[in-house]
Amino acid sequence: MAALRYAGLDDTDSEDELPPGWEQRTTKDGWVYYANHTEEKTQWEHPKTGKRKRIAGDLPYGWEQETDENGQVFFVDHINKRTTYLDPRLAFTVDDNPTKPTTRQRYDGSTTAMEILQGRDLSGKVVVVTGANSGIGFETAKSFALHGAHVILACRNMTRANEAVSRILGEWHKAKVEAMTLDLALLRSVQHFAQAFKAKNVSLHVLVCNAAVFGLPWTLTKDGLETTFQVNHLGHFYLVQLLQDVLCRSAPARVVVVSSESHRFTDINDSSGKLDFSRLSPSKNDYWAMLAYNRSKLCNILFSNELHRRLSPRGVTSNAVHPGNMMYSALHRGWWVYTLLFTLARPFTKSMQGGADWAECNAQVNRAQGARPCRSQCYT
């Protein structure tokens, strides 16, 4: 009864009646959640009964379910030519099973990042996403920001980063989002980013190591290392080392490393089985763009596993994720042949929101088995 008095409903006639300022909504997969417009929060449990519910049955004849650009589900009545965000099946709900479905049961390859975070309140959480001005990084950053997190877009190109910030604020003007300079091809820039972030004196709950290059011709960075290796792996490795103390102070915290299924198609050992350092940053004569990318992704996974082993006792977990094969992003911009291949494959690939879901899922869900890569396995 204390909960009812708090909601002002101790004398209501119906136990399913919502308090003033509350709204009942549904997710794409049929789960009912409740929005509190007064406090700008959402929750799965009914504010009065504490029950969880699902909708039952199919949509009425002539109705169709759609999803808007913000990931919000709405319904189209083709017969009466109208749209609504209220599910017409809400009058026919059933109580949820007390055993909450696992992440593996609820989400699949078609799930988007917005659906992963549906109903979550991330207020007070601080998230850093590298390479967040476009592609998977942008969708990841946007999804976190639209659910209340303070998100920092760590990008090399500040013009594009600020444009990305404006796009997010255009969807929700209350979003806490900002851009900071980070060039992973320059270790001094990584140092400056870490120093600037620490100067903010804020926590760091999620670090998404997303930025990457692909298909580049052989070049050396100003640090004298092959570019693909430094941007995709070494720059992130250094960034995590510099922010490790902040992550530990912010525990529980998480590092998400965006890797790739391509890690399977390479090796970094010599013929005797020992680590061959020359393969990590090869000379021009030994360089092949695809192999360089694959090796960097293998390094991502090995790093994530070891990071988890070392820091999980201190409350910092790490996961490596495979977002999906051949997604149409700007990653292929290094060579026109790759651009052509990605363009031809585009009708059969996942969307950026679909790719971002793996970063969101691993950033939000406690995985007792540790830093095993999502939808991929690491070399041992």
Side-chain angles (χ1 to χ4, degrees):
M1 290 298 294
L4 298 185
R5 287 193 296 271
Y6 175 79
L9 291 179
D10 43 328
D11 59 347
T12 185
D13 293 329
S14 171
E15 72 167 8
D16 286 329
E17 183 178 345
L18 290 171
W22 286 80
E23 180 185 1
Q24 185 172 266
R25 297 178 180 174
T26 58
T27 64
K28 186 177 180 180
D29 55 356
W31 293 95
V32 177
Y33 70 101
Y34 303 91
N36 183 341
H37 295 295
T38 303
E39 299 180 5
E40 297 184 347
K41 294 182 179 180
T42 59
Q43 63 187 55
W44 294 111
E45 296 81 11
H46 190 287
K48 182 180 174 183
T49 66
K51 295 180 180 179
R52 297 191 178 198
K53 294 186 176 183
R54 287 184 60 100
I55 54 176
D58 298 325
L59 286 168
Y61 176 76
W63 286 79
E64 185 177 7
Q65 179 177 288
E66 300 285 353
T67 305
D68 65 21
E69 59 183 8
N70 296 323
Q72 180 69 45
V73 175
F74 67 95
F75 301 87
V76 181
D77 181 356
H78 293 289
I79 297 177
N80 297 307
K81 308 297 182 183
R82 61 176 181 171
T83 61
T84 177
Y85 283 89
L86 187 67
D87 192 323
R89 296 169 294 178
L90 282 173
F92 307 96
T93 58
V94 295
D95 288 345
D96 180 23
N97 190 304
T99 303
K100 187 177 179 180
T102 65
T103 301
R104 184 175 299 277
Q105 290 173 323
R106 291 182 56 194
Y107 305 132
D108 56 29
S110 63
T111 306
T112 67
M114 292 296 289
E115 291 170 341
I116 291 287
L117 295 179
Q118 186 73 55
R120 294 181 182 268
D121 180 13
L122 301 181
S123 300
K125 302 297 183 182
V126 180
V127 180
V128 171
V129 184
T130 68
N133 57 270
S134 64
I136 296 173
F138 173 75
E139 294 297 339
T140 300
K142 181 183 74 171
S143 300
F144 276 126
L146 295 183
H147 286 80
H150 176 188
V151 183
I152 295 174
L153 283 63
C155 306
R156 176 181 59 85
N157 188 323
M158 286 304 292
T159 299
R160 296 182 63 187
N162 287 324
E163 291 174 353
V165 169
S166 298
R167 289 165 59 191
I168 295 174
L169 291 174
E171 294 197 27
W172 187 36
H173 70 283
K174 293 185 178 181
K176 297 178 181 179
V177 57
E178 61 179 300
M180 292 179 63
T181 302
L182 173 64
D183 185 354
L184 294 167
L186 186 63
L187 296 181
R188 182 179 301 175
S189 175
V190 180
Q191 287 181 329
H192 290 167
F193 174 87
Q195 292 169 357
F197 179 83
K198 289 181 178 180
K200 291 179 176 291
N201 196 28
V202 296
S203 300
L204 178 56
H205 301 100
V206 181
L207 172 58
V208 181
C209 299
N210 162 79
V213 293
F214 172 83
L216 295 184
W218 182 85
T219 56
L220 294 180
T221 67
K222 292 182 179 180
D223 300 302
L225 297 164
E226 191 276 313
T227 302
T228 300
F229 171 66
Q230 180 166 333
V231 172
N232 291 9
H233 172 64
L234 189 61
H236 282 128
F237 176 91
Y238 190 37
L239 177 65
V240 173
Q241 300 310 304
L242 294 175
L243 296 179
Q244 176 177 311
D245 56 337
V246 184
L247 286 163
C248 292
R249 288 200 308 268
S250 308
R254 186 176 298 272
V255 176
V256 179
V257 183
V258 180
S259 184
S260 170
E261 191 77 12
S262 299
H263 82 275
R264 297 178 182 277
F265 309 110
T266 188
D267 199 353
I268 54 176
N269 295 332
D270 59 22
S271 57
S272 64
K274 296 182 178 180
L275 178 62
D276 186 351
F277 287 97
S278 66
R279 296 188 180 189
L280 301 181
S281 183
S283 64
K284 186 174 183 179
N285 292 335
D286 297 326
Y287 178 79
W288 183 27
M290 193 68 216
L291 270 181
Y293 178 79
N294 294 355
R295 286 167 180 162
S296 71
K297 296 291 103 177
L298 174 56
C299 288
N300 287 163
I301 291 178
L302 296 175
F303 165 58
S304 178
N305 283 354
E306 180 62 17
L307 181 69
H308 181 83
R309 187 186 70 82
R310 295 189 183 193
L311 294 190
S312 58
R314 302 176 64 183
V316 180
T317 54
S318 179
N319 291 91
V321 301
H322 167 51
N325 293 320
M326 290 287 287
M327 282 183 294
Y328 192 85
S329 68
L331 191 62
H332 55 78
R333 60 187 177 274
W335 189 27
W336 69 269
V337 173
Y338 289 127
T339 300
L340 176 61
L341 290 174
F342 275 72
T343 301
L344 293 175
R346 187 172 187 176
F348 311 102
T349 61
K350 294 175 68 176
S351 66
M352 290 301 100
Q353 261 287 314
D357 72 326
W358 296 107
E360 305 285 355
C361 184
N362 280 269
Q364 291 300 308
V365 179
N366 291 324
R367 295 169 60 82
Q369 64 267 46
R372 296 180 183 274
C374 188
R375 297 189 66 192
S376 122
Q377 297 295 324
C378 73
Y379 284 128
T380 56

